[in-house]
Amino acid sequence: MAATTAVQRRIPGVDAARGLALLGMIATHLLLLVSTDGTEPTVVGLVFAGKSSALFATLAGVGLALLTGGAGRTGAPHRGPLLGWDRRRVAVRALLLFVLGLACGSLDINVAIILAQYALLFLVALPFLHLGARTLAVWAIGWVLLSPVVASLLSAAMQSAVGSAAYVDGWRLWSNPTLIDLVSQPGLLAWDLLVSGYYPVLQWFGYVLFGLFLGRLRLDRMRVAAVVAVGGAALATAAFLVSRGLQQWPGVASALATGTGAGSRTLEAELLTGASLSTESVQHLAVWFTLATPHSGAPLDLLLTCGTSALVLGVCLLLTQVARGVLVWPLMPLIGAGTLPLTLYVGHLVALDVFETATADWPRLGLLLTYWVGCLVAGTLWRGFGWRGPLEWLVATVSGTLAGPRP
């Protein structure tokens, strides 16, 4: 009964969006982002690259907002002792996720794992959990616009101090962080997680702030969902058009081709997908600020992916609110997958490692469909029986126990 009640209190549209984020991340792990000659972006590269992981981080902020009071159901963020209890729970969850992320880093897979950075994003969010929508909007705008500037200044300072090649090659792990890194090179690990890695917490915290803002809105109202979707589409379109316009200026495209090492032949595909595009060497240059390229961490990249995240969330909210009752059943597999994202995310990482040899000769599209169907079937079963995912249950139980009795 308790498990069923917990499931009923969830917002189906948020879970559906989280399910899409999970499926999109799996797609980028299994399929090519550009054609084999590197000159054309693939559908997966255009639709999912950078956008799925940004949606995942944004929904982390939405989840934190709902966990700490939301807006549409309880009216206001938690305060006083209840807020303190929330923060203790979130801190313990972050610690568990961090250890789990470092453990997953030891898997023999060619996938950039987000869990360790995800955990740090939770920790950085602790001072912001009491804020309302308007204040969070200001923080989110400021962070998205200014954190890339800070990252660029840090990159310039480091490249000036140690040399460009030495910084690019030596001040990033170039692999998933592991428990061994925590012991043997904690300084490099910290710099990689916060500044120079694939998911730099410095810039990616903007997604969490944006998600916290969205989670403080009345997401249970169709008008709000529609505004979120339309506003997200407008923001993403504007960021993309501004980026393309800036890159038409004389010398910008050639500077990007030279600075990133992409070359003029493959530059267009890599700018659209971020595939194999190394932006570290141009991060301290003005041309970096013209990028809306996935995982570049530039302001226009953050704005574009905030927009696509809001668009997907808004559409999912609208669909689940329109298709109430029996009509929502076609969306149940996706909603269900979104209720156990940690279990499915870690599960697919382990499966990629364990079954790599057995599936080496499979068509990649067939392998992707197998993973997708597995996630959707698991989501349907868990949602139908009102269960929590194994890892979700473990994290919630441990964090709730260590946080103490609820005030």
Side-chain angles (χ1 to χ4, degrees):
M1 179 66 71
T4 302
T5 302
V7 169
Q8 291 172 345
R9 284 200 298 264
R10 303 181 71 99
I11 298 179
V14 174
D15 286 331
R18 193 177 289 112
L20 282 175
L22 176 69
L23 297 184
M25 293 174 76
I26 294 174
T28 62
H29 297 163
L30 291 172
L31 298 186
L32 294 176
L33 304 183
V34 296
S35 58
T36 53
D37 63 358
T39 60
E40 296 292 335
T42 65
V43 173
V44 169
L46 286 174
V47 175
F48 296 121
K51 302 177 183 68
S52 297
S53 50
L55 175 59
F56 203 59
T58 300
L59 292 172
V62 174
L64 286 174
L66 297 177
L67 182 72
T68 56
R73 292 174 181 265
T74 58
H78 292 163
R79 294 284 191 271
L82 186 55
L83 175 62
W85 183 71
D86 288 335
R87 284 174 169 158
R88 291 193 297 274
R89 278 197 302 164
V90 172
V92 175
R93 288 186 181 201
L95 178 60
L96 295 173
L97 286 174
F98 188 72
V99 173
L100 180 60
L102 295 184
C104 289
S106 300
L107 296 172
D108 185 17
I109 53 177
N110 186 27
V111 170
I113 300 172
I114 196 175
L115 289 179
Q117 294 89 338
Y118 199 67
L120 294 181
L121 292 174
F122 275 40
L123 287 178
V124 180
L126 292 178
F128 299 87
L129 298 182
H130 68 290
L131 299 178
R134 292 183 181 179
T135 306
L136 284 167
V138 174
W139 270 103
I141 293 170
W143 203 285
V144 166
L145 293 179
L146 296 179
S147 63
V149 177
V150 175
S152 179
L153 293 174
L154 288 173
S155 176
M158 290 296 292
Q159 294 191 45
S160 176
V162 304
S164 179
Y167 175 70
V168 172
D169 294 336
W171 285 83
R172 182 172 175 178
L173 288 177
W174 295 106
S175 63
N176 286 311
T178 66
L179 292 168
I180 295 176
D181 294 322
L182 181 62
V183 176
S184 62
Q185 45 187 357
L188 177 59
L189 173 63
W191 187 264
D192 183 274
L193 293 174
L194 297 175
V195 179
S196 63
Y198 198 65
Y199 306 105
V201 170
L202 175 59
Q203 288 113 300
W204 276 63
F205 185 61
Y207 295 128
V208 176
L209 285 172
F210 183 57
L212 279 167
F213 158 70
L214 293 175
R216 294 288 183 230
L217 302 179
R218 294 295 301 268
L219 297 181
D220 55 338
R221 292 183 175 179
M222 290 189 63
R223 183 174 62 179
V224 173
V227 170
V228 169
V230 173
L235 177 60
T237 301
F240 179 78
L241 292 178
V242 169
S243 173
R244 304 303 278 184
L246 292 174
Q247 288 168 8
Q248 298 305 312
W249 288 10
V252 172
S254 59
L256 287 172
T258 303
T260 60
S264 58
R265 184 168 176 266
T266 61
L267 179 64
E268 178 68 13
E270 295 191 10
L271 287 177
L272 291 172
T273 63
S276 304
L277 187 68
S278 175
T279 61
E280 291 82 4
S281 58
V282 298
Q283 190 175 23
H284 62 296
L285 303 177
V287 291
W288 181 71
F289 288 90
T290 70
L291 295 175
T293 301
H295 294 290
S296 65
L300 292 172
D301 167 33
L302 301 183
L303 289 172
L304 188 150
T305 44
C306 280
T308 55
S309 298
L311 171 61
V312 173
L313 175 60
V315 169
C316 288
L317 290 168
L318 286 172
L319 288 175
T320 53
Q321 290 175 28
V322 169
R324 294 181 182 274
V326 176
L327 294 179
V328 83
W329 277 103
L331 298 173
M332 277 303 170
L334 191 61
I335 295 170
T339 65
L340 57 154
L342 181 60
T343 296
L344 294 178
Y345 182 80
V346 173
H348 104 276
L349 295 177
V350 174
L352 287 174
D353 187 6
V354 173
F355 299 111
E356 178 183 12
T357 302
T359 59
D361 296 329
W362 286 31
R364 304 309 289 177
L365 180 58
L367 185 60
L368 173 63
L369 293 176
T370 300
Y371 276 91
W372 275 7
V373 170
C375 289
L376 295 175
V377 170
T380 302
L381 291 174
W382 260 256
R383 175 78 182 185
F385 285 103
W387 298 337
R388 303 186 81 164
L391 288 179
E392 286 77 9
W393 174 85
L394 177 63
V395 170
T397 301
V398 173
S399 61
T401 301
L402 296 181
R406 188 177 192 273

